[in-house]
Amino acid sequence: MKAPKSWILEHVDVPEGTSTDELTARLTLTGLKLEAVESAGADISGPLVVGRVLTKEPEPQKNGKTINWCTVDVGDANGTGEPQGIVCGAHNFEPGDLVVVVLPGGVLPGGFEISARKTYGHVSAGMICSARELGLGEDHDGIIVLPADAGEPGQDVRGILGLDEEVIELEVNPDRAYALSIRGIAREVAVSVPGATGFRDPALRDTPLADDQGHPVRLEDTTGCPVFVARTVSGFDSAAPTPDFIAQRITAAGMRPISLAVDVTNYVMLETGRPIHGYDADKVQGAIVVRRASEGEQLTTLDGTRRTLTAEDLVVCDDSGPIGLGGVMGGESTEISGSTTRVLVESAHWDAVSMFRTGRRHKITSEAGKRNERGVDPTICEAAADRVVELLTTYGGASAEPGVTVVGEAPAMPTVTMALDLPANVSGLPIDPDTTVGHLEAVGCTVRVDGDTLTATPPPWRPDVTDPYDLVEEVVRLVGYDTIPSVLPAAPGGRGLTRAQQLRRRIGRTLAGAGWVEVVDFPFVGETDLDALGLEADDPRRTVLRLSNPLSSEAPAMTTTLLPALLRTAGRNVGLGASSVAVFETATVTLPRSSEAAPILPVDRRPTDAELDALVKALPDQPLHLGLVAAGEADPAGWWGPGRPVEWSDAVDAVRSVADALGLELDVRPAALAPWHPGRCAELRLGDALVGHAGELHPRVCTTFGLPARSVAAEVDLDVLIQHAVHLRPAPTFSTFPAAKEDVALVVEESVEAAAVEAALREGAGDLLESIRLFDVYRSEQLGEGRKSLAFALRFRAPDRTLTDEDTTAAREAAVALAAERTGAVQRA
């Protein structure tokens, strides 16, 4: 919300000498955060003065353009008192008019320096300015012609045009819609700035009594529109110019002057916060009816868009059908035009939820809609309409027709009850009952105290105040958030990182050292992401926790897997030219346990055990996961030879390296799970516990995310690994005796897992086995159909002696015997 400082101070008195910085600092402390303080003339320097046109001589040019050679009286501003010769291309002025002149040495917005220069055969010593050249709007069709009594030649024009006006821009939270008006901001100044007095409510005015002589109105949906006020003016001059003070103020507030009728309704909206709409009264056919639209009903709105309505839309109708989307945008059929002489003024209160839904459904954003969908004071409809009538009659030559239509009444505000000491208990400040009552009354509440209990009726402009803690916020923000003591708990010394933190850092260092790059993604997911992974309808990863107010409608839920975000990140980098990508992320995923919403716990006392149990049961599980995605080359090509593309084993090895860093060893078994290739997917187990999966991505998934074929990925549950990790690993012991190497080739059925054979060999070899490695898988006709040969390299070493041939032979044969017993393996000659 942009608000000229002088406009605010028309409605409240502050102590003399109060600076803009002091004013905005107090507003920020009470909840209206300062965004910026601007001034339209901040970028203008040098002589900018009032000039009176003495002569105007049109001179046609060869290019078909006609310029005017003018002499302009600028008083003593040029240092000589002589008229200034200026070339001007505009034609909307005559001799005797007062204009805005920037003299040589002046600088206009954009760094445009003015100097005396020869143009069109004359030395032009200055420039006669338009609104756009001064940064006052987009009008460049003609220069600014000042009123005849604006000032004297040579007088500085900044004050006349409001160029020295300070405009305060505030960030207004959605729950404080009342501050989207001068009325609301001035009220905040009155209660927040020390010494401020004399708040003058622009909506507090005498209005004519309602009667049955006004334009007939019927409300068929009093929930959607509880109050509707209609006033009519006739004899309106649609060509009448907008007064300078109105044009300057709505421009400073960020709106564009259009016409007197439109500018007046915008001005009153900015002043009071109440959106107003004007109809060409001669185009309205019969009585006005407010109702819900019929499904499929059509309306062309003021922006020229033909809209198909739904049964949820509130519409304003006459005998011809819908003539406006209530509270959102008017209709084209009753638009005020240059021939309008009678204006029907609508000032109505609309249901905020309906306004929000209609605006989003039809993709309409407007200043009026922004206020209506957040909640506006329903009691000022008559005052706002009367203010519009006053301005139209004063500046548009109109007269108010007899009759004031007021249908419906403002809904009553609900009362809120709280303990008198609740603000003190919540804030920790010594707030006494008198302070609590005084501050609530200052913000407009009607307060009744009964013993230790307070009952407050919020003011009609505060629909956001609905529970005791809203009252607490009102009291504490006026006491001052800056007075709440900052008491930090004593930090325990010497503890350092926790075990889990140390292990997480160990995991990150391990992967970074292996060439993987850590990324951080948003933890949100949508149905399209899960579809892209190829998940089945009954896959548990499709059971997601949906957010009530997501950042994006395309990702409205908390993710159950890290892979969609990682795949998008990898695909984005490949699309930007990265030939090889290896990224990882450690983050929590959200696995819902219950469909019930978490209860809201009290803040003025310790929750009961039952309340805490209910909260815990409603919370989802959020295990820590590790996700990996790699594409392109695992080893780059170079002068040393060709590169090696990534393959499924790289994903498995990356997870195994993490497990090894934690002092663990994982079993690898074949599996089939989306989004991996059904024949190149492995499940990773720690004992009997399933830790995760790794392997090559399905070709369809690679295509969807823009990755090269045969890209790989892995996702594992880090909580399981960290739980079983060896925190302080003992230093390794090294034997000084030589190793003995033995190779064995075992023929097994195709269905036998290499991991099962390896486990049997490891157990059978006993303590002398130092390491085991699968180095070859062989298939041939000689082995027979459905059989394969697995070749393992076994390395034996003793800590206290050199092994003999008998030692290694016995260990190897024991290993082979156990493998044969468990897997049916036959040693290959």
Side-chain angles (χ1 to χ4, degrees):
M1 173 67 187
K2 293 183 176 181
K5 181 182 176 183
S6 64
W7 199 1
I8 297 172
L9 297 185
E10 277 187 9
H11 299 286
V12 63
D13 298 323
V14 297
E16 187 176 352
T18 301
S19 67
T20 303
D21 288 343
E22 293 170 331
L23 189 71
T24 55
R26 294 306 305 175
L27 288 174
T28 298
L29 286 174
T30 53
L32 297 183
K33 179 184 175 184
L34 175 67
E35 285 286 311
V37 176
E38 302 173 347
S39 175
D43 295 333
I44 300 175
S45 62
L48 184 70
V49 300
V50 175
R52 185 184 302 279
V53 180
L54 300 178
T55 64
K56 173 187 174 185
E57 300 177 11
E59 296 183 358
Q61 303 297 310
K62 293 180 180 179
N63 59 6
K65 180 180 179 180
T66 298
I67 61 96
N68 295 299
W69 169 242
C70 307
T71 56
V72 183
D73 179 7
V74 294
D76 294 328
N78 59 4
T80 66
E82 295 296 324
Q84 206 84 346
I86 299 175
V87 172
C88 182
H91 305 283
N92 64 319
F93 64 99
E94 297 297 334
D97 285 344
L98 294 181
V99 294
V100 179
V101 179
V102 57
L103 297 175
V107 179
L108 296 182
F112 182 43
E113 298 182 3
I114 304 299
S115 61
R117 63 190 182 92
K118 188 171 184 178
T119 179
Y120 295 107
H122 301 280
V123 176
S124 182
M127 184 170 75
I128 304 175
C129 300
S130 69
R132 190 169 71 177
E133 288 160 346
L134 297 177
L136 295 176
E138 294 302 316
D139 186 6
H140 196 55
D141 294 335
I143 54 94
I144 298 173
V145 178
L146 299 172
D149 58 351
E152 296 298 323
Q155 179 181 341
D156 193 296
V157 82
R158 289 173 175 81
I160 299 172
L161 296 179
L163 291 173
D164 54 356
E165 172 75 272
E166 288 184 309
V167 179
I168 300 171
E169 183 176 1
L170 300 169
E171 177 185 308
V172 179
N173 292 333
D175 61 336
R176 298 194 180 276
Y178 67 91
L180 292 172
S181 67
I182 298 299
R183 179 192 187 213
I185 296 172
R187 181 180 283 109
E188 285 295 295
V189 170
V191 299
S192 62
V193 176
T197 58
F199 170 63
R200 296 173 288 279
D201 189 346
L204 189 62
R205 57 191 290 126
D206 293 330
T207 58
L209 296 176
D211 54 39
D212 57 1
Q213 299 180 31
H215 195 96
V217 174
R218 186 172 75 255
L219 302 182
E220 294 185 0
D221 190 327
T222 55
T223 301
C225 180
V227 183
F228 195 107
V229 175
R231 298 283 302 274
T232 305
V233 299
S234 58
F236 174 68
D237 180 7
S238 58
T242 299
D244 290 342
F245 79 95
I246 292 180
Q248 289 171 12
R249 284 180 169 178
I250 63 176
T251 299
M255 304 180 75
R256 181 171 59 89
I258 298 174
S259 66
L260 177 60
V262 175
D263 296 343
V264 162
T265 57
N266 285 337
Y267 182 83
V268 174
M269 177 184 68
L270 293 169
E271 184 178 58
T272 66
R274 164 57 60 192
I276 305 289
H277 183 64
Y279 303 89
D280 186 325
D282 292 328
K283 297 178 182 177
V284 177
Q285 303 174 25
I288 284 180
V289 179
V290 178
R291 58 172 173 82
R292 297 285 175 174
S294 301
E295 195 69 34
E297 206 165 8
Q298 300 283 310
L299 170 67
T300 301
T301 47
L302 288 173
D303 58 0
T305 303
R306 187 71 172 169
R307 302 184 186 276
T308 301
L309 309 180
T310 74
E312 294 184 18
D313 293 324
L314 274 167
V315 289
V316 180
C317 306
D318 65 3
D319 292 347
S320 67
I323 58 174
L325 269 176
V328 178
M329 183 174 285
E332 189 177 66
S333 63
T334 56
E335 180 181 7
I336 294 175
S337 65
S339 61
T340 298
T341 59
R342 295 179 67 240
V343 178
L344 175 62
V345 178
E346 167 208 297
S347 177
H349 183 67
W350 306 94
D351 174 58
V353 175
S354 296
M355 296 302 97
F356 176 82
R357 291 175 176 171
T358 296
R360 294 301 179 273
R361 187 161 45 248
H362 294 284
K363 297 181 174 59
I364 299 175
T365 57
S366 66
E367 290 294 327
K370 182 167 67 174
R371 288 162 174 80
N372 281 324
E373 70 186 24
R374 298 183 182 194
V376 185
D377 186 348
T379 65
I380 64 169
C381 294
E382 294 176 68
D386 190 63
R387 176 66 165 149
V388 171
V389 170
E390 176 191 19
L391 293 173
L392 291 179
T393 55
T394 301
Y395 299 105
S399 59
E401 291 188 3
V404 177
T405 302
V406 180
V407 181
E409 59 182 10
M413 296 297 292
T415 60
V416 182
T417 302
M418 75 168 186
L420 263 175
D421 60 354
L422 186 61
N425 291 339
V426 171
S427 66
L429 294 172
I431 302 175
D432 57 59
D434 290 341
T435 300
T436 297
V437 173
H439 285 339
L440 289 178
E441 290 178 340
V443 298
C445 293
T446 302
V447 181
R448 186 180 73 255
V449 178
D450 184 9
D452 294 333
T453 302
L454 176 150
T455 301
T457 303
W461 58 84
R462 293 300 303 273
D464 58 298
V465 179
T466 57
D467 66 42
Y469 300 103
D470 293 329
L471 298 179
V472 170
E473 180 182 0
E474 293 305 304
V475 174
V476 175
R477 74 184 183 91
L478 294 189
V479 171
Y481 291 126
D482 55 326
T483 65
I484 298 176
S486 298
V487 180
L488 295 176
R495 292 186 179 179
L497 298 176
T498 65
R499 173 182 178 275
Q501 289 171 329
Q502 291 177 345
L503 293 176
R504 287 181 64 175
R505 292 195 176 190
R506 187 186 299 176
I507 292 168
R509 286 194 296 266
T510 298
L511 290 171
W516 297 79
V517 177
E518 185 172 15
V519 298
V520 179
D521 286 303
F522 283 116
F524 309 121
V525 72
E527 286 293 329
T528 54
D529 297 318
L530 302 178
D531 291 340
L533 294 182
L535 304 187
E536 299 291 339
D538 59 348
D539 193 304
R541 288 172 291 176
R542 281 193 177 274
T543 303
V544 295
L545 180 69
R546 296 194 172 274
L547 302 172
S548 60
N549 189 24
L551 291 178
S552 168
S553 59
E554 297 179 355
M558 299 296 292
T559 189
T560 56
T561 169
L562 301 182
L563 292 182
L566 279 172
L567 291 170
R568 281 196 302 271
T569 299
R572 187 180 303 114
N573 281 273
V574 169
L576 293 174
S579 59
S580 299
V581 176
V583 294
F584 78 95
E585 181 179 18
T586 57
T588 57
V589 297
T590 303
L591 309 177
R593 292 189 295 181
S594 171
S595 59
E596 297 181 3
I600 299 177
L601 299 183
V603 296
D604 59 334
R605 60 173 174 81
R606 182 190 182 280
T608 64
D609 291 342
E611 289 172 332
L612 291 174
D613 288 342
L615 176 64
V616 171
K617 289 179 181 178
L619 295 177
D621 286 328
Q622 290 190 290
L624 182 68
H625 277 205
L626 166 66
L628 307 161
V629 172
E633 293 183 329
D635 297 323
W639 58 266
W640 51 85
R644 180 182 68 83
V646 295
E647 56 186 22
W648 67 270
S649 60
D650 291 309
V652 174
D653 288 344
V655 178
R656 276 184 152 175
S657 67
V658 168
D660 181 66
L662 300 178
L664 305 173
E665 187 169 353
L666 299 178
D667 294 331
V668 181
R669 303 176 186 176
L673 182 71
W676 288 278
H677 191 294
R680 301 180 185 124
C681 173
E683 67 177 25
L684 307 167
R685 289 186 172 272
L686 182 65
D688 294 330
L690 177 62
V691 174
H693 293 81
E696 181 181 310
L697 290 167
H698 194 286
R700 183 174 59 251
V701 175
C702 293
T703 301
T704 301
F705 287 95
L707 293 171
R710 311 203 74 169
S711 297
V712 301
E715 184 169 10
V716 295
D717 189 337
L718 278 187
D719 280 348
V720 176
L721 296 180
I722 289 175
Q723 179 183 353
H724 295 88
V726 178
H727 183 207
L728 300 175
R729 303 178 67 178
T733 57
F734 299 96
S735 173
T736 59
F737 296 93
K741 301 177 183 178
E742 293 283 344
D743 293 344
V744 295
L746 303 177
V747 179
V748 296
E749 296 294 329
E750 188 68 50
S751 60
V752 176
E753 301 170 6
V757 178
E758 179 182 323
L761 289 172
R762 185 185 300 278
E763 182 179 342
D767 294 338
L768 294 179
L769 182 67
E770 183 178 74
S771 66
I772 181 172
R773 178 173 61 88
L774 175 67
F775 68 87
D776 186 45
V777 179
Y778 175 71
R779 297 174 179 85
S780 70
E781 294 180 0
Q782 289 81 0
L783 295 178
E785 185 177 354
R787 295 173 68 80
K788 61 185 176 183
S789 173
L790 305 176
F792 294 89
L794 284 67
R795 186 182 181 94
F796 299 96
R797 195 194 303 265
D800 55 353
R801 70 186 191 281
T802 300
L803 294 177
T804 64
D805 289 343
E806 291 78 9
D807 293 330
T808 56
T809 299
R812 184 194 66 207
E813 291 178 351
V816 172
L818 188 58
E821 177 185 340
R822 291 190 176 176
T823 65
V826 177
Q827 187 167 5
R828 181 179 165 204

